[in-house]
Amino acid sequence: MTTRRSFVRLAAGAALSPLAAPTFKSKASERLARWRLGDSRDADTIAQDETYWEVIQREYTQDASFINIESGYFSPASDVVLEAQIGWLRELNRIPSFYMRRRMAGERENLKQFFGRFAGISPDEFVIARNTTEALNTILHGIPLEAGEEVLYNSREYPSMQEALEQRAMRFGTVNRVIEIPWLPASQDEIVQAYADAMTPRTRYILVSHMIYLTGQVLPVREICDMAHERGVEVIVDGAHSFAHLTEAISDLNCDYYATSLHKWLGAPLGTGLMHIRREHISKVWPLYGDRRAQGDHVGKFEHIGTHPQGTDQTILDAIRFHEAIGAERKEARLRFLKNYWVERVQEIPGVRINTPLGDDQSCAIANVLVDGRTPAELVDALWDRYRIFTVGVEQGARIAPNVFTRLSDLDLLVQGIGEIAAG
């Protein structure tokens, strides 16, 4: 029988030991990492080796009754990450308040140290958020901005972020300067120039997506940041689709603010995200939720949201381990190869239009396709009804977003389907 005294001894022991599930599952990622390191070929060569990627594909359990090429909303976690999350949740449920009061602070700090090394940012410049929308709302409503001062962004920014700025303009008289940028630019210089030409003496901030959610178009964020900083303008980056998709670290971008959803291309659980604010800006940004340190320079003021979903957050560690076991460069190369594989086959079909620039620096996994005579919704419905291919229709067409678990046979069926739909 468990007595009060034996329970206390048990709980104290648990507080000193690592969680069983994450330790167990990290071994699976270590096995993949050793296997990866045994192959010295370059990333582009490995990207085309189906035998190599079959090993990765077996780490995912997906419903076999349809083909999922919609990783843009959120990407499924690998089996090892899913089992790690279950392990974390069981541990917290086993010693709930004890864990939160005695262990959470230390393990959350370890998480931040680990994540900071992975993302290339200091732990005192970011917090774990629940998604990009929450993080960017905190920034957009918290930055100092007077009536008449401008935020510059393009018309294809994520609607929730446009709505946040529209609401701020209605309440406080700030100005939203909305521009159009080229859909299929000849070079990234056209994009930088579009932002430079639109700036005025009243521009204080630029909001820019690293990867546009509609089409997968990659914008030259580093060049935009460098240009803006020369004019004293700060840059807020929506990294929802680029983080753990492209190999660039956050620090490579030279941005002032950054937000992303870790449940997308990192494959962390739903409800995990990131908000990064450069150290020199923290004191001037108001937190979205009340905190007595509101005007202080400690990033912890942005974490005052109530009880944290700690088991979910801790699983980020396991998602990072799995991502690194694959290898960031190999993952990016594979994702770009998958996009090119189907795009090169359908772009020659009469009546088919690709709405995404295809240069290696302009897109990666995501591309947008439309068939003449079909609305995006009609194209998506036809792919589902006839071929059990699931994706999403957006304003420009069907957004196709394969992932590392996607097989070439899946994309062969996509190509066949688009061709037959185009042929009527």
Side-chain angles (χ1 to χ4, degrees), residues 150-392:
E150 298 175 352
V151 179
L152 172 64
Y153 58 91
N154 79 73
S155 63
R156 286 179 279 150
E157 292 297 331
Y158 194 64
S160 295
M161 288 26 280
Q162 297 194 49
E163 290 167 358
L165 288 169
E166 289 164 4
Q167 179 175 303
R168 178 156 189 170
M170 287 188 286
R171 293 184 68 189
F172 303 115
T174 54
V175 176
N176 297 322
R177 189 168 180 81
V178 185
I179 63 171
E180 299 296 331
I181 59 174
W183 286 83
L184 302 170
S187 74
Q188 296 287 41
D189 292 340
E190 291 183 43
I191 304 295
V192 179
Q193 195 61 48
Y195 284 92
D197 291 345
M199 294 174 67
T200 78
R202 302 292 288 173
T203 303
R204 298 292 177 266
Y205 298 92
I206 293 175
L207 168 66
V208 59
S209 288
H210 195 181
M211 183 180 291
I212 293 176
Y213 79 102
L214 295 165
T215 64
Q217 180 180 358
V218 176
L219 301 186
V221 166
R222 175 59 191 249
E223 291 77 8
I224 291 171
C225 289
D226 291 346
M227 177 274 296
H229 290 162
E230 291 176 357
R231 305 185 185 197
V233 172
E234 296 171 13
V235 182
I236 304 163
V237 174
D238 181 340
H241 285 283
S242 58
F243 189 81
H245 183 161
L246 306 177
T247 55
E248 291 172 287
I250 296 172
S251 55
D252 294 334
L253 302 178
N254 194 29
C255 59
D256 301 279
Y257 311 86
Y258 183 97
T260 191
S261 294
L262 304 179
H263 61 253
K264 291 185 184 291
W265 296 94
L266 182 60
L270 275 173
T272 55
L274 168 78
M275 181 179 72
H276 162 64
I277 300 177
R278 282 170 67 161
R279 186 179 293 105
E280 62 265 31
H281 301 318
I282 292 173
S283 62
K284 70 183 181 185
V285 180
W286 290 88
L288 194 59
Y289 298 92
D291 191 290
R292 291 196 175 101
R293 303 167 294 176
Q295 294 182 290
D297 60 359
H298 192 284
V299 76
K301 69 185 183 181
F302 300 109
E303 294 183 304
H304 197 169
I305 63 170
T307 306
H308 288 260
Q310 185 64 14
T312 298
D313 289 355
Q314 285 298 132
T315 313
I316 296 168
L317 291 164
D318 301 275
I320 292 173
R321 291 187 186 108
F322 186 77
H323 174 87
E324 292 184 328
I326 296 174
E329 290 185 2
R330 296 182 184 188
K331 181 177 176 179
E332 179 180 335
R334 175 64 174 183
L335 293 175
R336 185 173 289 108
F337 167 74
L338 292 174
K339 184 273 309 288
N340 290 338
Y341 180 87
W342 71 267
V343 165
E344 289 171 359
R345 286 159 175 77
V346 305
Q347 64 182 347
E348 302 301 326
I349 298 173
V352 174
R353 289 185 284 124
I354 301 297
N355 298 313
T356 300
L358 302 179
D360 284 355
D361 64 335
Q362 294 180 308
S363 61
C364 192
I366 300 173
N368 184 292
V369 62
L370 190 61
V371 172
D372 289 346
R374 296 271 186 167
T375 66
E378 288 171 343
L379 175 56
V380 166
D381 288 345
L383 288 170
W384 174 255
D385 293 340
R386 301 184 196 178
Y387 308 97
R388 306 305 285 178
I389 295 174
F390 174 71
T391 187
V392 64

Side-chain angles (χ1 to χ4, degrees), residues 62-70 379-392 409-411 413-414 416-418 420-421:
Q62 289 284 277
D63 192 316
S65 67
F66 69 95
I67 294 172
N68 174 21
I69 49 173
E70 214 300 80
L379 175 56
V380 166
D381 288 345
L383 288 170
W384 174 255
D385 293 340
R386 301 184 196 178
Y387 308 97
R388 306 305 285 178
I389 295 174
F390 174 71
T391 187
V392 64
S409 58
D410 299 337
L411 299 179
L413 184 59
L414 172 68
Q416 176 188 332
I418 291 174
E420 291 175 355
I421 292 168

Side-chain angles (χ1 to χ4, degrees), residues 39-69:
D39 194 326
S40 61
R41 294 175 295 170
D42 64 86
D44 289 333
T45 299
I46 290 175
Q48 302 177 54
D49 183 348
E50 292 313 294
T51 302
Y52 183 96
W53 291 97
E54 284 175 3
V55 177
I56 305 298
Q57 290 157 4
R58 288 197 295 269
E59 297 293 334
Y60 291 85
T61 298
Q62 289 284 277
D63 192 316
S65 67
F66 69 95
I67 294 172
N68 174 21
I69 49 173

